[in-house]
Amino acid sequence: MEHFAIDGQDYLAVANYFDDFSHDIKSVVYRRDLGTFTLFQRIPTRGASSWKYFTIDGTHYLAVANNIVDGSRNTESEIFRWNGQSFESVQLIATHGAHDWEHFVIAGKQYLAVANYLEDSDNFRTHSNVYTWNTVCFV
């Protein structure tokens, strides 16, 4: 789960991994209204492990770590941007059983790191990656 606030409004993103039938399910974002968190947005995910909220130059983002789809750990995790009303997909990044994201800034440069967990070959020696923001997307 990831708590964050946009313009003083509290939100909670919840990663849903499996629903007893499939990993290809929707994760949810709740918004706090009148003291109660209520469903705000459903976002398609694939065995979601976690969410990471971050901002770049005042723009709000959520990154989901997708872990598995159709039995494959080689999937794409996704970055969503706040459009003023909801989150919309803006970038897909190839991952291998993604477990978590971490956003950080060093000397004014924006970074996003993904912790990969497992490749399809059951190889735990998969590599995690650090991406750099190029003013448009992470590379």
XYZ file of all heavy atoms in Angstrom, residues 14-30 39 41-51 64-71 75-76 78 80:
330
model
N -3.594 0.524 -3.426
C -3.487 -0.854 -2.932
C -3.171 -1.770 -4.106
O -3.902 -1.793 -5.102
C -4.790 -1.299 -2.236
C -4.699 -2.741 -1.781
C -5.107 -0.370 -1.062
N -2.064 -2.520 -3.988
C -1.648 -3.460 -5.029
C -2.355 -4.791 -4.815
O -2.253 -5.391 -3.748
C -0.135 -3.649 -4.976
N -3.076 -5.254 -5.823
C -3.753 -6.555 -5.762
C -2.974 -7.554 -6.610
O -2.746 -7.335 -7.798
C -5.192 -6.437 -6.264
C -6.050 -5.677 -5.278
O -5.872 -5.794 -4.071
N -6.979 -4.894 -5.786
N -2.592 -8.679 -5.994
C -1.719 -9.665 -6.628
C -2.487 -10.784 -7.331
O -2.130 -11.180 -8.441
C -0.791 -10.248 -5.558
C 0.171 -11.286 -6.073
C 1.302 -10.893 -6.785
C -0.049 -12.639 -5.855
C 2.191 -11.829 -7.267
C 0.835 -13.584 -6.329
C 1.957 -13.184 -7.033
O 2.833 -14.111 -7.506
N -3.554 -11.301 -6.707
C -4.239 -12.490 -7.218
C -5.655 -12.523 -6.667
O -5.879 -12.132 -5.524
C -3.458 -13.741 -6.767
C -3.916 -15.032 -7.356
C -3.773 -15.302 -8.701
C -4.466 -16.014 -6.543
C -4.175 -16.515 -9.240
C -4.868 -17.236 -7.071
C -4.718 -17.477 -8.426
N -6.605 -13.007 -7.449
C -7.995 -13.050 -6.985
C -8.570 -14.472 -6.962
O -9.749 -14.673 -7.143
C -8.877 -12.145 -7.839
C -9.059 -12.649 -9.261
O -8.460 -13.688 -9.631
O -9.808 -12.012 -10.016
N -7.734 -15.478 -6.754
C -8.086 -16.903 -6.757
C -8.264 -17.478 -8.161
O -8.446 -18.683 -8.311
C -9.353 -17.201 -5.941
C -9.139 -17.030 -4.450
O -7.982 -17.165 -3.993
O -10.118 -16.766 -3.751
N -8.220 -16.633 -9.187
C -8.373 -17.104 -10.556
C -7.271 -16.582 -11.476
O -6.868 -17.257 -12.401
C -9.738 -16.683 -11.128
C -10.893 -17.236 -10.361
C -11.595 -16.434 -9.485
C -11.270 -18.566 -10.495
C -12.661 -16.944 -8.753
C -12.335 -19.081 -9.774
C -13.027 -18.270 -8.902
N -6.832 -15.355 -11.240
C -5.904 -14.729 -12.178
C -5.046 -13.676 -11.474
O -5.453 -13.086 -10.471
C -6.709 -14.053 -13.296
O -5.865 -13.336 -14.163
N -3.861 -13.446 -12.044
C -3.010 -12.341 -11.603
C -3.346 -11.066 -12.385
O -2.929 -9.979 -12.025
C -1.533 -12.673 -11.828
C -1.046 -13.771 -10.939
N -0.969 -15.077 -11.356
C -0.628 -13.755 -9.661
C -0.513 -15.827 -10.375
N -0.296 -15.049 -9.329
N -4.085 -11.224 -13.470
C -4.457 -10.103 -14.339
C -5.721 -9.457 -13.783
O -6.835 -9.710 -14.257
C -4.676 -10.622 -15.759
C -4.775 -9.510 -16.778
O -4.381 -8.374 -16.463
O -5.238 -9.789 -17.896
N -5.530 -8.650 -12.752
C -6.670 -8.055 -12.040
C -6.432 -6.563 -11.837
O -5.348 -6.055 -12.101
C -6.917 -8.742 -10.681
C -5.693 -8.604 -9.776
C -7.271 -10.195 -10.878
C -5.924 -9.130 -8.363
N -7.437 -5.895 -11.334
C -7.320 -4.454 -11.097
C -6.895 -4.182 -9.664
O -7.400 -4.785 -8.731
C -8.643 -3.763 -11.403
C -8.970 -3.824 -12.882
C -10.220 -3.083 -13.225
C -10.431 -3.199 -14.735
N -11.645 -2.568 -15.167
N -5.938 -3.272 -9.550
C -5.579 -2.736 -8.243
C -6.388 -1.461 -8.073
O -7.006 -0.967 -9.021
C -4.081 -2.476 -8.169
O -3.373 -3.710 -8.158
N -6.408 -0.930 -6.858
C -7.320 0.181 -6.595
C -6.632 1.356 -5.906
O -5.643 1.191 -5.201
C -8.524 -0.268 -5.733
C -9.400 -1.234 -6.505
C -8.062 -0.909 -4.442
N -7.192 2.526 -6.166
C -6.802 3.745 -5.473
C -8.037 4.229 -4.722
O -9.120 4.347 -5.308
C -6.306 4.837 -6.442
C -5.963 6.117 -5.695
C -5.103 4.332 -7.243
N -7.864 4.464 -3.426
C -8.938 4.993 -2.594
C -8.666 6.465 -2.314
O -7.513 6.887 -2.225
C -9.018 4.245 -1.258
C -9.395 2.802 -1.394
C -8.432 1.804 -1.408
C -10.733 2.425 -1.514
C -8.782 0.470 -1.529
C -11.090 1.088 -1.641
C -10.101 0.123 -1.649
O -10.446 -1.200 -1.767
N -13.570 4.001 -2.755
C -12.981 3.655 -4.045
C -12.956 4.875 -4.957
O -13.967 5.534 -5.165
C -13.780 2.529 -4.704
C -13.261 2.071 -6.060
C -11.868 1.487 -5.953
C -14.220 1.066 -6.659
N -10.420 4.866 -8.003
C -10.045 4.439 -9.342
C -9.566 2.983 -9.327
O -8.832 2.580 -8.438
C -8.923 5.340 -9.887
C -8.508 5.045 -11.302
C -7.460 6.008 -11.846
O -7.044 6.946 -11.166
N -7.039 5.791 -13.073
N -9.989 2.225 -10.324
C -9.491 0.866 -10.546
C -8.482 0.920 -11.689
O -8.773 1.514 -12.731
C -10.622 -0.082 -10.922
C -11.625 -0.310 -9.814
C -12.708 -1.297 -10.283
N -13.824 -1.318 -9.378
C -13.903 -2.073 -8.293
N -12.916 -2.872 -7.983
N -14.970 -2.028 -7.521
N -7.323 0.287 -11.473
C -6.261 0.327 -12.471
C -5.848 -1.100 -12.816
O -5.489 -1.871 -11.920
C -5.049 1.133 -11.945
C -5.459 2.587 -11.671
C -3.891 1.076 -12.940
C -4.379 3.432 -11.035
N -5.891 -1.483 -14.106
C -5.476 -2.835 -14.491
C -4.012 -3.086 -14.125
O -3.136 -2.261 -14.438
C -5.663 -2.860 -16.008
C -6.617 -1.745 -16.290
C -6.341 -0.702 -15.251
N -3.750 -4.208 -13.446
C -2.392 -4.599 -13.077
C -2.226 -6.091 -13.311
O -3.200 -6.808 -13.533
C -2.081 -4.253 -11.598
O -3.072 -4.856 -10.758
C -2.096 -2.746 -11.369
N -0.977 -6.557 -13.230
C -0.654 -7.958 -13.482
C 0.171 -8.500 -12.322
O 1.392 -8.385 -12.309
C 0.092 -8.073 -14.812
C -0.780 -7.637 -15.998
C -0.007 -7.461 -17.293
N 1.014 -6.440 -17.266
C 0.794 -5.125 -17.362
N -0.424 -4.659 -17.469
N 1.788 -4.274 -17.342
N -0.516 -9.090 -11.346
C 0.182 -9.603 -10.176
C 0.929 -8.508 -9.446
O 2.102 -8.644 -9.116
N 0.249 -7.407 -9.195
C 0.895 -6.227 -8.598
C 1.468 -6.536 -7.219
O 0.807 -7.141 -6.382
C -0.106 -5.078 -8.508
N 2.712 -6.119 -7.009
C 3.393 -6.312 -5.725
C 3.371 -5.059 -4.867
O 3.267 -5.143 -3.653
C 4.854 -6.711 -5.951
O 4.939 -7.958 -6.562
N 3.511 -3.899 -5.506
C 3.575 -2.661 -4.731
C 3.374 -1.446 -5.632
O 3.449 -1.537 -6.852
C 4.922 -2.540 -4.009
O 5.968 -2.396 -4.954
N 3.121 -0.318 -4.978
C 3.006 0.989 -5.630
C 4.075 1.920 -5.066
O 4.445 1.807 -3.896
C 1.657 1.633 -5.333
C 0.484 1.024 -6.031
C -0.422 0.154 -5.498
C 0.052 1.266 -7.376
N -1.380 -0.164 -6.421
C -1.110 0.503 -7.590
C 0.546 2.039 -8.414
C -1.791 0.504 -8.801
C -0.134 2.040 -9.619
C -1.284 1.280 -9.810
N 3.611 1.083 -10.579
C 3.204 -0.221 -10.053
C 4.254 -1.254 -10.440
O 4.744 -1.271 -11.570
C 1.799 -0.650 -10.548
C 1.750 -0.864 -12.051
C 1.320 -1.881 -9.793
N 4.614 -2.107 -9.482
C 5.525 -3.223 -9.729
C 4.663 -4.438 -10.067
O 4.052 -5.032 -9.182
C 6.387 -3.481 -8.500
N 4.601 -4.772 -11.351
C 3.851 -5.950 -11.792
C 4.770 -7.165 -11.720
O 5.890 -7.140 -12.234
C 3.323 -5.765 -13.209
C 2.132 -4.848 -13.256
O 1.275 -4.888 -12.381
N 2.060 -4.011 -14.277
N 4.286 -8.236 -11.107
C 5.124 -9.391 -10.808
C 4.955 -10.553 -11.775
O 5.916 -11.251 -12.087
C 4.823 -9.850 -9.369
C 5.716 -10.956 -8.908
O 5.464 -12.112 -9.203
N 6.758 -10.596 -8.185
N 3.736 -10.791 -12.275
C 3.496 -11.993 -13.079
C 2.259 -11.790 -13.956
O 1.296 -11.149 -13.552
C 3.316 -13.235 -12.165
C 3.244 -14.524 -12.971
C 2.128 -13.071 -11.244
C 3.315 -15.781 -12.109
N 2.313 -12.347 -15.171
C 1.145 -12.339 -16.052
C 1.148 -13.641 -16.844
O 2.181 -14.041 -17.390
C 1.116 -11.109 -16.982
C 2.285 -11.076 -17.930
C -0.187 -11.036 -17.756
N 0.028 -14.329 -16.865
C -0.112 -15.590 -17.595
C 1.017 -16.559 -17.263
O 1.546 -17.238 -18.147
C -0.171 -15.339 -19.101
C -1.378 -14.518 -19.505
O -2.423 -14.627 -18.828
O -1.285 -13.774 -20.498
N 1.430 -16.605 -16.005
C 2.475 -17.517 -15.566
C 3.889 -17.061 -15.846
O 4.849 -17.724 -15.486
N 7.375 -9.481 -17.457
C 6.195 -8.680 -17.746
C 6.604 -7.212 -17.809
O 7.790 -6.896 -17.782
C 5.099 -8.930 -16.681
O 3.921 -8.223 -17.058
C 5.538 -8.518 -15.300
N 5.653 -6.355 -17.898
C 5.925 -4.916 -17.901
C 5.283 -4.286 -16.679
O 4.120 -4.534 -16.380
C 5.374 -4.263 -19.166
C 6.081 -4.707 -20.424
C 5.458 -4.124 -21.665
O 4.207 -4.088 -21.755
O 6.215 -3.701 -22.552
N 4.399 -0.520 -14.811
C 3.786 0.642 -15.460
C 3.870 1.893 -14.597
O 3.790 1.822 -13.375
C 2.322 0.298 -15.739
C 1.663 1.102 -16.797
C 0.403 0.409 -17.330
O 0.042 -0.689 -16.855
O -0.218 0.990 -18.229
N 2.122 5.684 -14.059
C 0.902 6.450 -14.299
C 1.129 7.893 -13.869
O 1.806 8.161 -12.882
C -0.262 5.860 -13.490
C -0.595 4.451 -13.864
C 0.087 3.389 -13.288
C -1.583 4.182 -14.795
C -0.213 2.076 -13.629
C -1.884 2.869 -15.147
C -1.199 1.823 -14.562
